[in-house]
Amino acid sequence: MELADALAELAALEDPKVRAANEKRGDDHGMNLSRLRAVAKKAKTDQPLARELWETGETPARLLALLVCAPRQYSAEDLDGMLREPQPPKVNDWFVNYVLKKTPLSDDLREGWRHDPADTVSAAGWSLTSVRVVTQPDGLDLGALLDEIERDMKDAAPRTQWAMNETLAQIGIHHPHLRDRALAIGNDLQVLADYPTAPGCTSPFAPIWIAEMVRRQG
């Protein structure tokens, strides 16, 4: 698929009602994401097209880019630069989940990102740390991570705080010997304790999240 064709497909997806709903969440696009995924399926994996789409700077094009790119073909410099660009929430979320979590380069960048002063960058570092806590904890100092969370999470910027809270919860869920401490930190800090949670969904408040996931594990 050529860039012009991709942009025409994206323009055809524009729906003013969808845009109005998305803009309330800070996302500047009017696409139904299921229909966007159908366009990506037609385009298939295409790294040159993904780079062209990203360079437009437009949210619809960038979302499509993240669906058709080949994460392993980005350099560390590419990843760092893309992460630092201003992005609406959906682009940032997809970039972290569809690109950063699928490239082996991320672990080399994770620690530096975790301590970056930029909220979006720091949040990405903590999100990647959460993945390591679950899938590859060897080499991580989980106790030191809990120390850092206990010290810094309460006053962290919003995205970083959310990602730190996820790391706290994953430590408590997957590492029983640290569960009591993770629960104590969550109860002491009360981060996201009042977060509105829809019926049938699990609260992101770490003590509730940990308890529910452990219950499901049996």
Side-chain angles (χ1 to χ4, degrees):
M1 184 179 291
E2 298 296 324
L3 176 62
D5 298 325
L7 294 177
E9 295 255 12
L10 294 174
L13 298 183
E14 180 67 23
D15 183 325
K17 292 182 180 179
V18 174
R19 176 175 287 275
N22 285 335
E23 286 181 344
K24 292 179 181 179
R25 298 187 289 267
D27 287 311
D28 55 339
H29 72 84
M31 301 181 300
N32 176 292
L33 296 181
S34 294
R35 295 179 66 191
L36 174 63
R37 291 180 187 279
V39 174
K41 186 175 181 179
K42 181 162 56 174
K44 302 180 181 180
T45 300
D46 188 332
Q47 184 68 0
L49 175 61
R51 290 184 182 275
E52 288 183 309
L53 288 164
W54 186 269
E55 287 302 315
T56 67
E58 298 295 326
T59 292
R62 287 191 163 186
L63 290 173
L64 180 58
L66 295 171
L67 293 175
V68 303
C69 72
R72 290 174 176 267
Q73 292 188 27
Y74 289 115
S75 68
E77 183 178 4
D78 289 333
L79 298 172
D80 187 70
M82 293 167 75
L83 179 60
R84 292 180 186 281
E85 291 185 42
Q87 301 169 0
K90 183 61 70 175
V91 174
N92 177 259
D93 179 60
W94 281 19
F95 180 66
V96 172
N97 286 288
Y98 297 166
V99 178
L100 296 185
K101 291 182 179 180
K102 295 184 178 181
T103 168
L105 295 176
S106 289
D107 204 55
D108 296 332
L109 297 164
R110 175 183 60 81
E111 195 67 10
W113 283 343
R114 202 162 58 78
H115 296 102
D116 196 277
D119 185 24
T120 299
V121 179
S122 176
W126 277 101
S127 183
L128 294 168
T129 299
S130 294
V131 174
R132 275 285 307 268
V133 165
V134 177
T135 64
Q136 193 182 353
D138 291 348
L140 291 179
D141 187 337
L142 298 177
L145 287 174
L146 290 177
D147 289 342
E148 193 171 343
I149 290 168
E150 185 172 31
R151 183 189 69 223
D152 297 336
M153 184 169 72
K154 184 80 170 179
D155 298 319
R159 290 185 180 184
T160 299
Q161 184 183 73
W162 185 275
M164 293 177 81
N165 182 72
E166 181 183 9
T167 302
L168 173 65
Q170 297 299 357
I171 291 173
I173 293 165
H174 295 279
H175 300 278
H177 66 292
L178 294 170
R179 185 169 296 149
D180 286 347
R181 187 175 176 213
L183 289 167
I185 291 171
N187 280 313
D188 182 54
L189 297 181
Q190 291 289 296
V191 168
L192 300 177
D194 297 326
Y195 191 84
T197 304
C201 296
T202 301
S203 169
F205 179 47
I208 295 176
W209 187 356
I210 292 168
E212 176 60 18
M213 294 301 105
V214 171
R215 184 191 67 79
R216 293 183 189 182
Q217 292 171 1

